[in-house]
Amino acid sequence: MFNLLNLAWLIPLFPFLAFVAVPLFTNRNRKLSHSLVIGAIAIAFVLSQIVFWRAVTLPEGSLPFQSQTIRWLSAGSEVFRLGVYVDPATAVMLFMVPLVCMMIFIYSVGYMNFGTDEVDPRYSRFFAYLSLFATGMLGMIVFDNLLAFFIFWEIMGTCSYLLIGFWYEKTYPDPNKITPKEAGLKAFIVTKIGDLFFMLGLAVLYAVVGSLAYKDIFSPETLSRLAEMKLMGTQVSIATVVALLLFGGTVGKSAQFPLHVWLPDAMEGPTPVSALIHAATMVSAGVFLVVRAFPIFSVADPSTLAVGGIPFVAFIGALTAFGSSIIAVAQDDIKGVLAFSTISQLGYMIAALGIGAFVAGVFHLITHAFFKALLFLSSGSVIHGMEHGHHHAHHEHDAEEHAEDAAHWFNPNDMMGMGGLARRMPRTFVAFLIGGLALSGFPLLTAGFWSKDEILAQAWTGNQVVFWTLAIAAGLTAFYTARQLCLTFAGEPRTEAARHAPESVPSMTVPLMILSAFAVTLGWAGIPEDLPVLGGLVPNWFHHFVGSMVAENGGHAARVAGHLAEAAHGFDWAPMLLGSFFGLGGLLLGWLVYGWKPLRAGEPDRVEAAMSKIGLGWLHRAMRHRFYFDELYRAIFVRPAIWFSEAFSDFDHYVVDGLVNLAGNIGRWLSERWSEFDAVIVDGIVNGVGVVVQALGGFIRPIQNGKVQSYLWVA
């Protein structure tokens, strides 16, 4: 009998076929190109929903599902086989990824100005790249081994480079502002540092286990072996080494400290790309790697590289969540704020997984994807409106005003030039408000509240330092979200562009409405069952479903899975109340600073002004400049690398090339001398013999003239 879970084979196939078809057959037909790509992701979405609902409705203990495998790759005597692997983590990712991708693809039609004179000239290519990006993420989710995971992981890395730098010809008047071409290269190089650790982890794991298939590396026998085997006579277990190396891949892909620097600059790509990278694919892949390899993390020694009793993974996550939220407070770029909020929320997930709160981490991964996609697409709608408003205002100027305005570069992302957009763009405002409240963890009504609360609840009992770090980060998140909402939508327009900004087209706003519904309702799937009044009104199937995955992985994992219902002993109000206090307090403070009396045109940022008054202007400048990590890395790594490359180039030019040229010159000189010797001596001798023979011939020739009288005379 055919198992519906086998349909997972087909999920990555259709987006890949669309990617192949667009450049080969439909590139010149923009409508057909985007229709093909959207249709392919729609088919993938339908197949994913079938697989998801089939997995959810299976009897307990039926997962994970391992399909029959096919011969895939071979190297010498080694043969790698490929199959699909469906477990609760796979199922919930399949629910999220194709749906969010489909919303982003539909939104892209309007964002790239299809059907107008301003349509992007590389419109079809853009959709082809999007389709390949989705292929990478979906293939990474469904297949059954870490080698396939890594290959599709690298496909996404390549797509991120292509899409972040999609507008590669774009430049800015400010020479210090990074261009899309440079941002794409930066993302590619920084993430490759993490990929190197990932690859080393795969090498160690394969050398010990002899396989990278999940059914082999996650078996209880293998996990026990990895936990007991030590590395080269040390006290560090192989499981710990593999976990840390795999985590290096996560640090790069999910932009965790210290490899977080690429993600804010990834905003140089088109906004749909930002939404894909920050919500449905790229950064989610890094967290999903920890989710997928969680059995190995659970048997690793948490004391290795621990900081103050905090497991290393949780420490990196908490530090990233806190530091990024501080930086976000000082950003004026509407997408820049969201970029740092993404880094911060990813830190939340990593911290949760680091303390063993597996279900809470996965839950926040899913809810965050929806409300962060909503926020990025809403910000794109705002930017789109600001650009159109700027063009409209531009046409109303007379020639003198036009020339004066053209001398100043217009930045449609700058929140200081917005204001009053709630009236101009009501649908976008409602969507942004819902996404912002979800990001802030507005109590009870938003998905972000329930997933954040679950993380804080586990941190409350698991590690108090992690709890307070994440709670403060939650307060900062709510503050900068309120700041962003007020600067963008409240008060009066501060520029002519904002005054004339129109609402976006339905192809952009309809996906916002759909994502808004999920940003509110998705959290209901994870309401704690023991919560008074609300608990049990909606079945908490998510925790039971995903939690069963941890229970299947043996005692090691179960011991750190504090999220399981049977491990709970009554409902603890403290973390929920504290989390709500920080969230609501941050929103209220943000509204008091920026919303009660909205910012006026020409007025400086109020936090910056207040910090300057008390002598902390230097701190705000550091926050605005991302604590100078880019400058630090440029000084420590980039400039020395450039210096060494130039030094080796000079060495190659002057020394290596000099020696080669010297050898060539000597050889040429010798050849010229030999040529002269050949011409003068050798050819001289040969020619001399010829002359002598010719002379003798001339002397003898008269006696051989054929005349008898001459012969008689000679005789």
Side-chain angles (χ1 to χ4, degrees):
M1 182 177 177
F2 179 75
N3 192 327
L4 288 175
L5 297 181
N6 278 305
L7 291 175
W9 280 103
L10 302 177
I11 293 173
L13 176 63
F14 290 97
F16 177 73
L17 292 177
F19 161 73
V20 173
V22 168
L24 291 181
F25 306 112
T26 69
N27 184 53
R28 296 183 183 276
N29 189 325
R30 295 189 180 102
K31 184 175 182 179
L32 184 56
S33 293
H34 78 232
S35 300
L36 193 62
V37 169
I38 294 173
I41 197 66
I43 295 173
F45 165 72
V46 172
L47 294 173
S48 297
Q49 290 299 308
I50 294 173
V51 171
F52 169 75
W53 289 108
R54 177 56 180 164
V56 169
T57 54
L58 282 174
E60 188 173 349
S62 300
L63 296 178
F65 166 77
Q66 170 72 61
S67 73
Q68 292 186 347
T69 59
I70 60 173
R71 185 185 179 96
W72 179 37
L73 298 174
S74 61
S77 60
E78 300 292 331
V79 176
F80 294 92
R81 303 188 68 83
L82 185 67
V84 295
Y85 185 87
V86 180
D87 66 354
T90 301
V92 295
M93 289 295 285
L94 287 178
F95 175 82
M96 178 270 288
V97 173
L99 176 56
V100 175
C101 284
M102 185 167 63
M103 295 299 101
I104 294 171
F105 289 9
I106 295 171
Y107 174 95
S108 299
V109 175
Y111 187 85
M112 301 302 280
N113 297 308
F114 174 74
T116 71
D117 295 335
E118 299 172 353
V119 64
D120 194 284
R122 296 188 294 274
Y123 182 88
S124 296
R125 182 189 300 182
F126 179 76
F127 275 90
Y129 288 164
L130 292 183
S131 195
L132 183 61
F133 213 150
T135 300
M137 187 64 185
L138 293 171
M140 193 195 73
I141 292 171
V142 301
F143 291 121
D144 70 339
N145 65 81
L146 283 177
L147 181 59
F149 192 109
F150 181 74
I151 290 173
F152 285 98
W153 169 289
E154 289 299 316
I155 289 174
M156 280 194 296
T158 302
C159 289
S160 71
Y161 167 73
L162 295 172
L163 285 168
I164 294 171
F166 186 75
W167 289 328
Y168 56 82
E169 71 281 1
K170 189 176 182 180
T171 57
Y172 299 104
D174 182 2
N176 295 320
K177 182 171 176 58
I178 193 168
T179 63
K181 179 175 65 176
E182 294 167 340
L185 184 61
K186 180 179 181 180
F188 189 76
I189 292 175
V190 174
T191 55
K192 285 297 165 286
I193 297 172
D195 294 354
L196 175 62
F197 288 101
F198 186 5
M199 189 166 62
L200 290 174
L202 296 185
V204 173
L205 190 59
Y206 186 78
V208 174
V209 181
S211 173
L212 294 175
Y214 300 149
K215 64 182 179 61
D216 297 325
I217 61 178
F218 297 152
S219 68
E221 298 79 10
T222 300
L223 294 175
S224 297
R225 181 183 172 195
L226 292 174
E228 295 168 2
M229 184 181 295
K230 306 301 180 183
L231 177 68
M232 301 173 63
T234 67
Q235 294 303 309
V236 181
S237 69
I238 294 295
T240 302
V241 173
V242 171
L244 290 176
L245 290 173
L246 295 181
F247 182 63
T250 293
V251 168
K253 206 65 130 189
S254 290
Q256 298 296 283
F257 176 84
L259 299 181
H260 63 287
V261 292
W262 69 268
L263 194 56
D265 293 321
M267 299 300 96
E268 291 300 317
T271 296
V273 175
S274 303
L276 265 182
I277 290 176
H278 288 253
T281 57
M282 186 89 164
V283 296
S284 298
V287 178
F288 187 66
L289 174 59
V290 179
V291 171
R292 175 54 67 218
F294 188 76
I296 297 176
F297 281 84
S298 67
V299 299
D301 182 5
S303 65
T304 303
L305 298 182
V307 180
I310 305 173
F312 180 71
V313 173
F315 172 78
I316 292 296
L319 177 65
T320 304
F322 179 69
S324 299
S325 60
I326 292 177
I327 296 174
V329 172
Q331 303 304 306
D332 293 335
D333 187 299
I334 188 170
K335 291 205 305 183
V337 174
L338 297 179
F340 281 103
S341 83
T342 298
I343 299 173
S344 181
Q345 297 305 303
L346 292 167
Y348 254 85
M349 302 170 207
I350 295 299
L353 294 169
I355 60 174
F358 178 80
V359 173
V362 176
F363 191 31
H364 197 53
L365 173 64
I366 301 302
T367 60
H368 172 263
F370 282 97
F371 66 70
K372 187 51 62 67
L374 172 62
L375 283 168
F376 266 107
L377 296 185
S378 298
S379 72
S381 179
V382 169
I383 294 167
H384 202 257
M386 289 290 291
E387 289 174 337
H388 282 274
H390 175 68
H391 294 319
H392 181 80
H394 222 53
H395 288 310
E396 290 187 350
H397 290 175
D398 58 32
E400 182 179 350
E401 290 174 328
H402 179 86
E404 181 181 354
D405 190 57
H408 301 281
W409 173 59
F410 171 70
N411 182 5
N413 296 26
D414 187 5
M415 295 188 298
M416 304 303 288
M418 298 179 186
L421 294 181
R423 293 186 297 274
R424 297 292 305 173
M425 309 179 72
R427 294 193 297 275
T428 299
F429 166 64
V430 171
F432 208 119
L433 178 63
I434 292 172
L437 292 178
L439 174 62
S440 303
F442 190 83
L444 304 181
L445 299 180
T446 62
F449 168 75
W450 296 110
S451 56
K452 274 189 180 181
D453 173 70
E454 187 67 21
I455 293 175
L456 291 174
Q458 298 306 317
W460 178 257
T461 57
N463 193 296
Q464 284 284 310
V465 176
V466 173
F467 170 82
W468 287 107
T469 304
L470 296 182
I472 295 171
L476 291 168
T477 299
F479 176 80
Y480 67 67
T481 301
R483 172 181 180 266
Q484 185 177 38
L485 284 165
C486 293
L487 287 179
T488 304
F489 296 102
E492 297 298 323
R494 292 185 289 276
T495 60
E496 287 301 310
R499 200 177 309 279
H500 294 89
E503 180 61 278
S504 297
V505 295
S507 66
M508 296 175 66
T509 56
V510 170
L512 299 184
M513 297 300 104
I514 295 173
L515 290 171
S516 296
F518 283 98
V520 173
T521 61
L522 197 61
W524 301 347
I527 299 176
E529 293 178 334
D530 49 359
L531 176 67
V533 183
L534 295 179
L537 290 180
V538 179
N540 191 350
W541 65 267
F542 188 94
H543 284 213
H544 289 290
F545 181 60
V546 178
S548 66
M549 174 182 169
V550 181
E552 289 292 330
N553 287 323
H556 290 287
R559 282 198 294 272
V560 296
H563 53 272
L564 291 176
E566 54 266 31
H569 300 285
F571 184 78
D572 191 344
W573 283 98
M576 176 176 282
L577 293 177
L578 286 170
S580 299
F581 169 77
F582 278 102
L584 291 175
L587 286 171
L588 177 61
L589 183 60
W591 180 80
L592 289 174
V593 174
Y594 292 99
W596 188 23
K597 293 182 179 179
L599 208 68
R600 297 182 299 273
E603 183 180 352
D605 183 84
R606 289 170 181 167
V607 170
E608 181 180 9
M611 293 180 71
S612 297
K613 283 184 179 180
I614 60 175
L616 293 177
W618 61 270
L619 178 58
H620 191 274
R621 287 191 296 274
M623 292 160 58
R624 184 182 295 275
H625 289 88
R626 311 171 186 178
F627 289 120
Y628 302 105
F629 273 103
D630 285 317
E631 290 79 0
L632 178 65
Y633 289 173
R634 194 176 297 117
I636 295 177
F637 300 111
V638 178
R639 287 177 183 166
I642 293 174
W643 183 87
F644 275 112
S645 67
E646 291 175 346
F648 281 113
S649 176
D650 291 341
F651 179 82
D652 178 72
H653 180 71
Y654 293 108
V655 179
V656 177
D657 286 357
L659 292 174
V660 171
N661 293 337
L662 177 61
N665 290 333
I666 291 173
R668 185 170 59 184
W669 182 84
L670 289 175
S671 68
E672 289 173 350
R673 302 292 78 78
W674 279 111
S675 177
E676 293 173 359
F677 178 81
D678 180 71
V680 177
I681 306 301
V682 178
D683 287 356
I685 294 173
V686 173
N687 294 336
V689 171
V691 170
V692 171
V693 171
Q694 187 177 19
L696 291 175
F699 176 75
I700 298 173
R701 187 180 300 113
I703 67 175
Q704 295 292 331
N705 59 9
K707 295 179 180 181
V708 175
Q709 59 270 33
S710 297
Y711 299 152
L712 292 174
W713 184 81
V714 174

